[in-house]
């Protein structure tokens, strides 16, 4: 203990005394058992080898790269110190149940002082002494081997779990994933989404997955009209399809995709003739600058995709008075490997779920609202080649390594006529849901989500990658289940329908089972778009799961002998995880391979659904080794969350994320900073209490582990705000991109405050953030009080 005390950070030795110090009350010499059962020695059972003091001494992540070369304290100031220096996540995952099992030094070396002598007959004294000695030595030996065996069993149990997990994952082979992928792509060419759903259900059932079922919803879809949309130049009278081809049957037949599906789902329809005004990315500064120069009422905005959520930018344009939007992707925002100048795309203006039943499920008898369009704007995605025609610009604007962004000169006027035709109809969206029931906690769910092709939309081939990966993991898992093994918690496998129209399938299922999911879901693992490039492994994870993801990344790259930079962040994702993050506050993780250049470009380019060439996926990953890696990484995380007695979530990392999010130039109130400091203090105390069920036999009772898991499971629910700008996550722990760490809703409100006379929006946003931090602080403190009450009741 002397060495530990010498290394204690100042936080533990000055200022307000923290509750975790009480575990040091009766320090024992190294080597004493952690399992001593004598009542007089219960205090030593709480002597955690890796208590909170040691937790704060361990090395920090450097941008989540697992580098043990540097050793730094998380904080060297008093808890009340509000300076926000760069804060790294908590690095020690110790204190969880499995960590104790991995420790080998469990041998008990306990000796007791010899009893005092009493005046008596020498022989009688000798007999008593011998009897006592024999009993004492016997007790020591029994206790020694009993605890040694318990320790050995605990250690072997943890080792067996790890070996079992690796045995399951070893059966996952790239060739099997490739065969499944090719079968799915072939099926897509000949059948619709109903047949694809049937195929998935049949395959999952044949693998042995239990209770595989269809969950259908009749939902309102916005589909292309009988003829493609068009854009006509008034100056020349030329008519173009969205992809830049002239309006003729020949051009339609030879286009890169059917122009019918180059549209914005749930846009207003009709015809509008007006001036085109270049608004660049459409942020608040762009619009304020333009409104000072021109009258924008009922004009057409030329808008770039990226930088900010599309729904947010459209809300600003609608509020400014625009009547239409021509949406495109600037070639300079794309990786050099991408050649999409002549391709257009589909976008959805639906924030999530069936638009006719907002906030409630589309079940029989539900009231259906008439919402054929979700905006008053006429929105039309167009190709970069058509934009070049509109601004009379050369098609190829890339010279050497430089790229000139597409811009419409402010002193030139362009009048165009845009025509949009769409139809709305009710269609059935099908989800495929299968259950693998848990053995000890069947009412706790780990949800694994992929998506399948939906009719009337372009999903490219990513859905086939997604479906092939989830099927490969099910196959590996069920091969072990057939031999008698089961996970502790239930794993729910979901293949979602309607993803391209606004994650309709997952939202409807979530709204349908909301009460059950609020109580039972512990994590969501997304397999959406697993391979979008082949140069960089990229992970999106909730703050509470980032440490676990970093461990898995490091472990896997060590086995492969190649360790690329670990890239982990909490950013908004455009996939079916949205409902679980924003409405249930569920910890979420997703692994994906990306093009490194794509990660450097603007955010929210993924909002556009592009058609992909038939060989695109196989060009990026010809041997499907990347698919295999994603399957195994996701599988390891799934198995660990489903099987660890204590959920592998990190409370302190959430508090550190909050403090990091309050750095920057935007104004912060003293109340926010003070609350963030108190939240961190409570999280540190709670992190200490996380260790107790794993170290004290009394506290390892099932009821205590259950209490701990329920608190860990619901941590992120505290950060769901009531109001967020359109397109922004309600879960404020997620940022708009990986380049900014500040709370997104505060950044947006601050931008508005700079351009408007009133700061009401900023005050509302500050209040939302403050209430979230306060709720989390109260939540952790209440959890500590409950654990303390149980301790008092047992002593």
């Amino acid at each position: 203990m002397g060495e530990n005390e010498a290394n204690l950070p100042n936080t533990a030795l000055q200022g307000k005394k923290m509750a975790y110090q009480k575990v040091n009350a009766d320090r024992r010499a190294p080597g004493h058992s952690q399992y001593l059962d004598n009542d007089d020695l219960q205090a030593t059972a709480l002597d955690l080898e890796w208590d909170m003091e040691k937790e704060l001494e361990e090395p920090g992540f450097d941008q989540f790269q697992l580098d043990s070369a540097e050793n730094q304290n998380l904080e060297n100031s008093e808890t009340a110190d509000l300076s926000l220096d760069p804060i790294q996540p908590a690095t020690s995952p110790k204190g969880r149940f499995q960590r104790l099992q991995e420790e080998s030094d469990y041998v008990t070396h306990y000796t007791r002082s010899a009893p005092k002598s009493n005046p008596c007959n020498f022989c009688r004294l000798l007999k008593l002494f011998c009897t006592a000695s024999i009993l004492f030595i016997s007790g020591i030996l029994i206790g020694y081997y009993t605890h040694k065996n318990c320790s050995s069993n605990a250690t072997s149990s943890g080792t067996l779990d790890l070996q079992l997990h690796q045995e399951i994952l070893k059966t996952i082979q790239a060739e099997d994933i490739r065969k499944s992928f090719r079968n799915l792509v072939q099926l897509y060419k000949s059948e619709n989404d109903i047949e694809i759903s049937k195929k998935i259900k049949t395959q999952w059932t044949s693998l042995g997955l239990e209770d595989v079922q269809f969950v259908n919803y009749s939902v309102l879809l916005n589909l292309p009209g009988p003829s493609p949309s068009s854009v006509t130049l008034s100056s020349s009278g030329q008519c173009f399809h969205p992809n830049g081809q002239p309006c003729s049957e020949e051009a339609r037949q030879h286009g890169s995709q059917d122009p019918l599906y180059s549209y914005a789902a749930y846009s207003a329809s009709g015809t509008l003739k007006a001036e085109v005004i270049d608004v660049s990315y459409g942020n608040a500064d762009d619009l304020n600058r333009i409104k000072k120069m021109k009258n924008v009422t009922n004009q057409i905005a030329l808008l770039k995709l990226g930088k900010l959520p599309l729904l947010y930018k459209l809300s600003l344009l609608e509020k400014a008075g625009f009547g239409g939007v021509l949406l495109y992707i600037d070639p300079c925002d794309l990786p050099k490997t991408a050649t999409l100048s002549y391709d257009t795309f589909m976008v959805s203006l639906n924030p999530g779920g069936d638009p006719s039943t907002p906030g409630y499920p589309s079940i029989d008898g539900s009231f259906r609202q008439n919402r054929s369009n979700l905006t008053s704007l006429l929105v039309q995605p167009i190709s970069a080649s058509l934009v070049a025609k509109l601004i009379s610009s050369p098609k190829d604007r890339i010279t050497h390594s430089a790229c000139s962004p597409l811009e419409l000169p402010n002193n030139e006027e362009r009048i165009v006529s845009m025509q949009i035709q769409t139809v709305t109809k009710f269609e059935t969206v099908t989800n495929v849901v299968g259950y693998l029931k848990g053995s000890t906690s069947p009412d706790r769910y780990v949800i694994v989500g992929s998506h399948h092709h939906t009719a009337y939309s372009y999903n490219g081939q990513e859905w086939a990658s997604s479906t092939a990966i989830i099927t490969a993991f099910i196959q590996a898992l069920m091969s072990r289940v057939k031999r008698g093994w089961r996970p502790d918690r239930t794993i729910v496998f979901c293949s979602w329908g309607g993803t391209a129209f606004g994650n309709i399938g997952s939202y409807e299922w979530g709204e349908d089972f909301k009460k059950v999911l609020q109580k039972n879901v512990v994590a969501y693992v997304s397999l959406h778009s697993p391979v979008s490039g082949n140069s960089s492994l990229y992970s999106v994870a909730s703050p509470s799961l980032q440490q676990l993801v970093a461990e898995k990344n490091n472990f896997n790259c060590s086995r492969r002998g190649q360790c690329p930079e670990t890239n982990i962040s909490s950013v908004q994702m455009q996939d079916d995880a949205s409902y679980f993050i924003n409405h249930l506050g569920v910890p979420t993780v997703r692994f994906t391979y990306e093009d490194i250049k794509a990660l450097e470009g603007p955010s929210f380019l993924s909002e556009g659904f592009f058609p992909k060439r038939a060989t695109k996926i196989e060009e990026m990953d010809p041997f499907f080794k990347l698919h295999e890696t994603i399957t195994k990484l996701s599988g390891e995380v799934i198995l660990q969350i489903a099987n660890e007695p204590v959920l592998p979530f990190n409370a302190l990392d959430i508090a550190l994320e909050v403090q990091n999010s309050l750095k920057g130039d935007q104004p912060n109130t003293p109340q926010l900073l003070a609350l963030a400091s108190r939240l961190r203090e409570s999280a540190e105390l709670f992190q200490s209490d996380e260790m107790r069920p794993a170290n004290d036999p009394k506290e390892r009772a099932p009821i205590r582990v259950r209490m701990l898991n329920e608190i860990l499971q619901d941590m992120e629910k505290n950060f769901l705000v009531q109001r967020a700008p359109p397109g922004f996550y309600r879960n404020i722990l997620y940022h708009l991109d990986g380049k900014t760490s500040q709370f997104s809703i505060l950044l947006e409100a601050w931008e508005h405050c700079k351009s408007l006379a009133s700061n009401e929006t900023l005050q509302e946003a500050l209040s939302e953030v403050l209430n979230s931090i306060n709720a989390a602080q109260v939540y952790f403190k209440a959890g500590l009080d409950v654990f303390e009450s149980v301790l008092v009741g047992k002593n």
Side-chain angles (χ1 to χ4, degrees), residues 104 134 137 144 243 255 269 271 279 313 346 348 360 438 455 590 759:
S104 58
I134 292 172
I137 293 172
Y144 175 87
N243 59 9
S269 59
T271 302
V279 298
K313 294 188 289 189
M346 170 195 171
S348 175
Y360 54 95
R590 184 181 83 181
N759 67 346

Side-chain angles (χ1 to χ4, degrees), residues 282-291 316 751 754-755:
N283 59 33
D285 286 340
D286 291 331
L287 296 183
N288 289 330
R289 171 178 51 84
I290 291 166
K291 285 193 293 185
L316 296 182
E751 291 300 316
K754 289 193 298 184
S755 59

Side-chain angles (χ1 to χ4, degrees), residues 184 196-204 432 452 467 495:
L184 289 165
I196 291 176
S197 300
K198 290 180 179 178
K199 176 69 173 179
I200 294 172
K201 180 182 178 182
T202 300
Q203 190 169 16
W204 289 6
V432 185
H452 54 262
T467 305
S495 182

Side-chain angles (χ1 to χ4, degrees), residues 666-667 745-746 749-750 753 758-767:
Q666 79 272 20
I745 63 172
L746 288 185
W750 177 235
C753 184
S758 171
N759 67 346
E760 183 178 346
T761 302
L762 178 60
Q763 293 303 317
E764 289 179 357
L766 287 169
S767 179

Side-chain angles (χ1 to χ4, degrees), residues 14 99 112 134 365 474 494 565 591 609 617 707 716 747:
Q14 58 183 335
R99 293 291 171 174
R112 184 176 298 169
I134 292 172
I474 292 172
C494 304
E565 180 180 348
F591 295 95
F609 289 92
I617 295 293
M707 288 164 50
E716 291 194 21
L747 284 176

Side-chain angles (χ1 to χ4, degrees), residues 401-703:
S401 59
C403 181
S404 300
L406 293 171
E407 293 179 354
L408 179 64
N410 291 327
N411 58 353
E412 297 183 16
E413 184 178 85
R414 297 287 188 276
I415 305 295
V416 304
S417 177
M418 59 186 297
Q419 182 183 38
I420 296 177
Q421 295 187 52
T422 58
V423 296
T424 54
K425 60 189 299 188
F426 283 93
E427 293 284 346
T428 298
V429 164
T430 301
N431 299 323
V432 185
V433 182
Y435 298 83
L436 174 57
K437 298 292 178 61
S439 58
T440 59
S441 299
D443 61 336
R444 292 296 178 262
Y445 304 155
V446 180
I447 298 182
V448 185
S450 66
H451 72 285
H452 54 262
H453 172 72
T454 300
Y456 311 110
S457 69
Y458 271 97
N459 290 57
Q461 292 184 338
E462 64 172 17
W463 70 270
S465 289
S466 177
T467 305
I469 281 180
I470 195 172
T471 302
F473 181 65
I474 292 172
Q475 181 178 4
L477 204 60
M478 298 312 297
S479 65
R480 184 68 193 188
V481 171
K482 292 174 182 177
R483 292 155 56 189
W485 172 85
R486 276 187 177 276
D488 290 341
R489 300 178 180 92
T490 295
I491 304 177
V492 184
F493 296 95
C494 304
S495 182
W496 308 115
T499 297
F501 289 94
N503 305 319
I504 291 181
S506 56
Y507 261 75
E508 293 308 304
W509 189 77
E511 290 168 351
D512 197 0
F513 295 90
K514 184 175 181 179
K515 295 299 182 182
V516 176
L517 298 177
Q518 283 177 328
K519 179 182 178 182
N520 293 351
V521 178
V522 299
Y524 183 94
V525 179
S526 173
L527 297 174
H528 182 91
S529 189
V531 178
S532 300
N534 55 13
S535 60
S536 178
L537 178 61
Y538 180 64
S539 307
V540 176
S542 303
S544 59
L545 277 173
Q546 287 186 7
Q547 190 175 122
L548 175 63
V549 171
E551 292 171 9
K552 296 308 171 190
N553 279 355
N554 185 66
F555 179 62
N556 276 272
C557 81
S558 298
R559 290 187 302 176
R560 294 193 305 269
Q562 298 176 348
C563 295
E565 180 180 348
T566 303
N567 193 342
I568 309 172
S569 59
S570 299
V571 298
Q572 295 192 192
M573 298 183 286
Q574 306 301 316
D575 69 28
D576 290 286
S578 173
Y579 183 83
F580 300 91
I581 293 171
N582 287 302
H583 295 271
L584 301 179
V586 173
T588 305
V589 61
R590 184 181 83 181
F591 295 95
T592 182
Y593 269 98
E594 299 274 5
D595 189 313
I596 190 68
K597 297 297 183 183
L599 294 175
E600 297 172 356
S603 304
F604 301 101
L605 293 181
S606 59
E607 292 179 313
F609 289 92
F610 276 92
K612 297 188 179 180
R613 300 192 305 275
T615 58
K616 184 67 174 177
I617 295 293
E618 296 202 52
E619 284 181 359
M620 289 190 295
D621 188 18
F623 302 106
F624 277 71
K625 289 296 184 181
L626 302 183
H627 286 74
E628 180 183 320
T629 299
I630 295 294
T631 310
K632 290 184 176 181
L633 274 172
S634 303
E636 285 190 89
V637 170
I638 294 165
L639 288 170
Q640 191 160 346
I641 296 175
N643 287 295
E644 280 205 4
V646 175
L647 289 169
F649 301 159
N650 197 299
L652 181 57
D653 281 352
I654 291 181
L656 298 179
E657 183 72 19
V658 169
Q659 286 194 316
N660 278 328
S661 297
L662 290 175
K663 297 186 299 181
D665 298 331
Q666 79 272 20
N668 294 309
T669 63
Q671 292 90 342
L672 272 180
L673 297 174
L675 265 179
S677 180
R678 291 200 294 272
L679 173 62
R680 176 171 176 173
E681 179 181 331
S682 295
E684 287 172 346
L685 302 182
F686 185 79
Q687 195 84 344
S688 175
D689 274 356
E690 281 187 49
M691 304 170 191
R692 295 185 179 181
N695 288 270
D696 187 347
K698 283 180 60 179
E699 297 185 45
R700 198 184 300 160
I703 186 173

Side-chain angles (χ1 to χ4, degrees), residues 299-462:
Q299 305 299 336
I300 299 174
L302 184 63
L303 175 68
K304 295 181 183 182
L305 192 66
K307 297 283 189 182
L308 291 168
L310 176 59
L311 295 184
Y312 173 68
K313 294 188 289 189
L314 293 181
S315 70
L316 296 182
L317 293 173
E318 191 172 18
K319 187 181 297 183
F322 280 92
V325 177
L326 294 176
L327 181 67
Y328 74 103
I329 296 178
D330 196 305
C332 297
D333 290 338
L334 294 169
K336 292 181 180 180
T337 55
T339 56
L340 300 174
S341 294
Y342 290 93
D343 288 348
T344 186
F345 49 95
M346 170 195 171
V347 294
S348 175
L349 310 186
N350 180 13
D354 177 10
S356 70
T357 59
Y360 54 95
S362 299
I363 57 177
D364 291 343
S366 293
F367 172 70
R368 304 282 180 166
Q369 300 184 22
N370 183 16
R371 305 182 77 198
S372 58
N373 58 279
L374 301 179
T375 177
S376 63
L377 296 169
L378 278 74
V379 183
Q380 176 60 55
I382 60 175
S383 67
S385 61
L386 179 52
V387 175
K389 291 181 173 68
L390 293 178
I391 65 178
S392 302
S393 170
K395 296 179 182 178
D396 188 3
R397 303 176 62 86
I398 301 177
T399 57
H400 303 292
S401 59
C403 181
S404 300
L406 293 171
E407 293 179 354
L408 179 64
N410 291 327
N411 58 353
E412 297 183 16
E413 184 178 85
R414 297 287 188 276
I415 305 295
V416 304
S417 177
M418 59 186 297
Q419 182 183 38
I420 296 177
Q421 295 187 52
T422 58
V423 296
T424 54
K425 60 189 299 188
F426 283 93
E427 293 284 346
T428 298
V429 164
T430 301
N431 299 323
V432 185
V433 182
Y435 298 83
L436 174 57
K437 298 292 178 61
S439 58
T440 59
S441 299
D443 61 336
R444 292 296 178 262
Y445 304 155
V446 180
I447 298 182
V448 185
S450 66
H451 72 285
H452 54 262
H453 172 72
T454 300
Y456 311 110
S457 69
Y458 271 97
N459 290 57
Q461 292 184 338
E462 64 172 17

